[in-house]
Structure formats: C-alpha cells, structure tokens
Amino acid sequence: MKKRTFLKISSALVTGAALSPFSGCSPDKQKEKMKNWAGNLTYGTTNIYEPTTTEEVQEIIRKCDRLRVLGTRHCFNRIADSDTNLIFTRNLNKIYALDKEARTITVGAGIRYGEFCNHLHEQGFAIHNLASLPHISVAGACATATHGSGVANGNLATPVTALEMVTGKGEVVTLTREQDQEAFNGAVVGLGTLGLVTKITLDIIPTFSVRQNVYLNLPMSQLEVHFDEIMSSGYSVSLFTDWQSDINQVWIKRVVMEGEPFTAEPEFFGARLADRNVHPIIEISAENCTEQMGVPGPWYDRLPHFKMGFTPSSGEELQAEFFVP
Ligand SMILES: Cc1cc2nc3c(=O)[nH]c(=O)nc-3n(C[C@H](O)[C@H](O)[C@H](O)COP(=O)(O)OP(=O)(O)OC[C@H]3O[C@@H](n4cnc5c(N)ncnc54)[C@H](O)[C@@H]3O)c2cc1C
C-alpha cells in the first residue's frame, strides 16, 4: 500500500456532507449515559450511532467532527470513550463469507465471537485461540490485541488477513496481509485510531475438541522453578492467583486426540486435581464457566473460561494482568 493512502487512513476525523435519513445514522439519544462492562466508567456522550452497513458508517463519519468507535464496551479504560459522538458497532454483525478453500471467514466487525464460532464449528472449522470470554466483538478484540493463552498460540489479532475500514474522511479502505504487508501489520492492532473497521477476515483451521482440567493450589515455589513446563503443559494454560500464597488455580486445556485414552494426573507440580467444576474466584458458582473435569467439547466452548449465555467472570470488577519476560 502507498504511503499516501496510509497517511489518509491516519488522518483526523473530519466533517463532511449532509446526512441522509438512515435509521442508524441518527444518534440514539439515550436517556442515561452508557457504562462499560465493568461499570467503572460512564461514557461521555449520549450521541450514539448504531449503523448497520458500511454506507451508514460513511455517512456518520462524514457528518461528525469527532467520534470514537465502541465495540462491546469491555475495555476498563477510556480508550473507546468520546465526549462528542460514539459509533456503536453491535449491528455490524453479519457473517459475510466462509471460504473453505482459502480457509478464511469474513465477518462484520461488531459481531461477537460467541455469535459465529458455533457456526464455524458446524462447518468443520475453528479459530486457533479465544479470550477468556466469547462476549467481545471481533474488531474490539483485534484492535487491542486481546490474548487467549497457549505458548504456541498467537493472540486474537494474529489470524486477521484482511480489514475493511472507513477512514476519518469517510473513505472505504481495504487492507490485506498479502498485498499491504507493513501498512496492514500496522493497522490490525489500531486501537480505534485509524478508522472504523467494518469487516474482518480471519484465518481458520480445522475444528478440534478440547478437554480442560483445573488444578488447585499450585505452590508459587514450583511455578518459579517450572514456569516454562507448566505453561507448556497444554494447548492453553491459565493461572489465577489472589497473591495471598499459592497460584490458586491452573486451568489446562488440552486438544482431544482421537482414540487416545485420557486420565488427568491427580497431582500437578504439587497442585491437586479439582473434583468439580470451579469458578476462577472459587467462592462463586461455576455455572457460568465452561465445562471442566476433562469432558471433551468443541474448541469454542472450552478455550474461553466463560460461557456465552452467562455473565463472564463476576461482573462489576476490574481486572489486572502481569506481563513476564
Ligand atoms: C470480563 C472480561 C474478560 C476479559 N478477558 C480478556 C482476556 O482473556 N484476554 C484479553 O486480552 N483481554 C480480556 N479482556 C479485555 C477485552 O478483551 C478488551 O478490552 C477488548 O478490547 C474488548 O473488546 P470490545 O469489543 O469490548 O472493545 P471496546 O472496549 O468497546 O473497545 C476497545 C478498543 O477497540 C476499538 N474498536 C472497537 N471496535 C472497533 C472497530 N470496529 N473499528 C476500530 N476500532 C474499534 C475501540 O475504539 C477501542 O479503542 C476482558 C475484559 C473483560 C471485561
């Protein structure tokens, strides 16, 4: 992609032509300001647009001096906030194409993983990695490099192969991994600054089944010495701690191999195999968590910790993460 086009993408949001009366093009003047998922921040405006097509997005962007894009509101900070205008992407939620030969799926940017992953599985395909929850929008997840887990699994932005976005001038730009290389790489984790992503194409892989087991109370001393081994012990491994003493829980997700017998070891580096489904916060019922106890299930119902139809985690909470070399 040419440098000039890239600069255009980066340009500030500008005022444009008059607006035609699309339903999604008039702000939904909600009575109360919306909050994010955690409830720790209230968005700064009630001018909220909910376009359903790329053309509507163009109209809105041309009309507004300033705006920000809102996915499913799971960020804990003000990155998606605006005190002037917000475009809420939840109606940009179509599945456009499943290309079995090229092994890609193209979806509307506002679709949540939980809205299309079962369809993908039914068609014999999977996404290689998912976050702890399937409730987040694809574009919001990719724009912030949302991660799942697994030492060999890239984050959720890594399977993106193409983006359609509307720039600050209301122009539609398509970037592909194959053709636009560096500009494409720079745009995928765009933090909502380069334009509004309307469609995303993702690499897909053959579907697979996963079983997960949870181990309780892993001594911190074991983690210190065996960190690599522990984190590599499954396709996806997650640790939870309240920093009071041990690692409270180790969630190990393993790919089910056809015909291979499976019994979970009763002990794992000093941690004890859980004998029931548990929630990462042990006091809370495991009802909203994905099935554990080694029960095999499709990737989309095991890689996330939380089920689609339920509140992920406990709600109204702030989360922190620790990055280690
Ligand atoms: C309970 C819970 C569990 C979580 N688990 C994980 C986890 O396991 N791993 C992890 O890494 N993170 C996790 N997160 C964080 C979450 O994945 C990120 O905050 C992610 O960005 C949420 O996506 P969203 O659609 O809600 O984005 P929003 O919060 O709505 O927006 C995030 C950013 O994306 C931009 N954006 C959204 N849509 C578009 C678009 N169409 N075009 C351009 N820019 C856009 C916004 O402008 C903003 O900059 C969790 C959050 C919660 C509340």
Side-chain angles (χ1 to χ4, degrees):
M1 183 180 150
K2 293 201 179 73
K3 193 174 166 199
R4 221 171 44 167
T5 322
F6 182 72
L7 289 174
K8 266 193 212 164
I9 296 171
S10 317
S11 66
L13 299 169
V14 292
T15 307
L19 190 72
S20 52
F22 287 119
S23 58
C25 289
S26 307
D28 177 5
K29 293 258 182 196
Q30 301 190 351
K31 280 193 191 111
E32 285 187 23
K33 287 182 176 171
M34 273 196 303
K35 288 184 181 255
N36 69 338
W37 176 86
N40 66 306
L41 78 86
T42 304
Y43 294 105
T45 180
T46 52
N47 284 340
I48 298 165
Y49 297 86
E50 297 197 29
T52 54
T53 62
T54 301
E55 292 71 32
E56 288 188 11
V57 172
Q58 289 181 279
E59 291 282 352
I60 296 163
I61 288 184
R62 287 186 182 129
K63 177 199 170 198
C64 295
D65 279 341
R66 298 170 61 80
L67 57 83
R68 284 249 173 97
V69 188
L70 197 55
T72 42
R73 298 178 289 133
H74 283 81
C75 268
F76 298 96
N77 57 33
R78 306 208 84 95
I79 192 169
D81 194 14
S82 166
D83 53 12
T84 47
N85 300 288
L86 284 169
I87 299 190
F88 202 5
T89 57
R90 67 176 165 188
N91 293 330
L92 299 171
N93 60 352
K94 290 197 180 71
I95 301 173
Y96 288 98
L98 173 62
D99 187 334
K100 293 186 177 181
E101 230 163 80
R103 291 207 171 169
T104 58
I105 185 165
T106 301
V107 291
I111 198 167
R112 298 175 296 165
Y113 287 91
E115 291 177 304
F116 73 97
C117 283
N118 54 347
H119 165 72
L120 200 51
H121 169 68
E122 281 161 16
Q123 297 296 314
F125 293 97
I127 296 173
H128 79 297
N129 206 354
L130 291 173
S132 68
L133 74 176
H135 307 66
I136 50 176
S137 76
V138 175
C142 295
T144 56
T146 289
H147 61 82
S149 191
V151 292
N153 302 329
N155 68 47
L156 274 58
T158 56
V160 178
T161 65
L163 296 173
E164 177 194 273
M165 69 167 101
V166 179
T167 68
K169 290 186 173 165
E171 289 161 2
V172 177
V173 170
T174 302
L175 297 173
T176 68
R177 188 199 281 158
E178 206 173 84
Q179 285 172 13
D180 302 299
Q181 295 157 13
E182 281 191 14
F184 170 79
N185 287 339
V188 176
V189 184
L191 303 173
T193 58
L194 301 179
L196 188 148
V197 174
T198 41
K199 289 180 194 165
I200 293 196
T201 303
L202 305 171
D203 277 330
I204 52 177
I205 59 174
T207 193
F208 58 101
S209 296
V210 175
R211 57 173 105 236
Q212 65 179 338
N213 284 99
V214 175
Y215 287 86
L216 305 174
N217 303 323
L218 173 79
M220 204 62 97
S221 55
Q222 290 285 339
L223 183 67
E224 248 181 277
V225 181
H226 300 287
F227 186 81
D228 287 346
E229 223 177 316
I230 289 169
M231 293 309 292
S232 313
S233 60
Y235 182 81
S236 166
V237 178
S238 304
L239 309 177
F240 295 92
T241 181
D242 58 10
W243 298 110
Q244 299 307 299
S245 58
D246 297 335
I247 296 294
N248 305 85
Q249 297 179 19
V250 183
W251 287 45
I252 304 177
K253 300 168 196 260
R254 294 196 169 107
V255 173
V256 176
M257 301 304 225
E258 199 71 34
E260 195 181 86
F262 175 82
T263 37
E265 295 298 321
E267 209 190 298
F268 178 78
F269 293 97
R272 168 175 59 84
L273 183 66
D275 57 6
R276 60 183 170 90
N277 282 357
V278 292
H279 188 284
I281 303 166
I282 198 93
E283 295 80 15
I284 296 179
S285 152
E287 189 193 16
N288 59 358
C289 296
T290 49
E291 197 62 33
Q292 302 155 36
M293 304 287 291
V295 178
W299 55 279
Y300 69 85
D301 202 22
R302 292 293 181 277
L303 295 180
H305 306 323
F306 302 106
K307 289 183 202 150
M308 183 64 184
F310 293 76
T311 302
S313 200
S314 70
E316 294 200 350
E317 76 195 41
L318 298 182
Q319 299 183 354
E321 296 185 334
F322 289 81
F323 290 86
V324 293

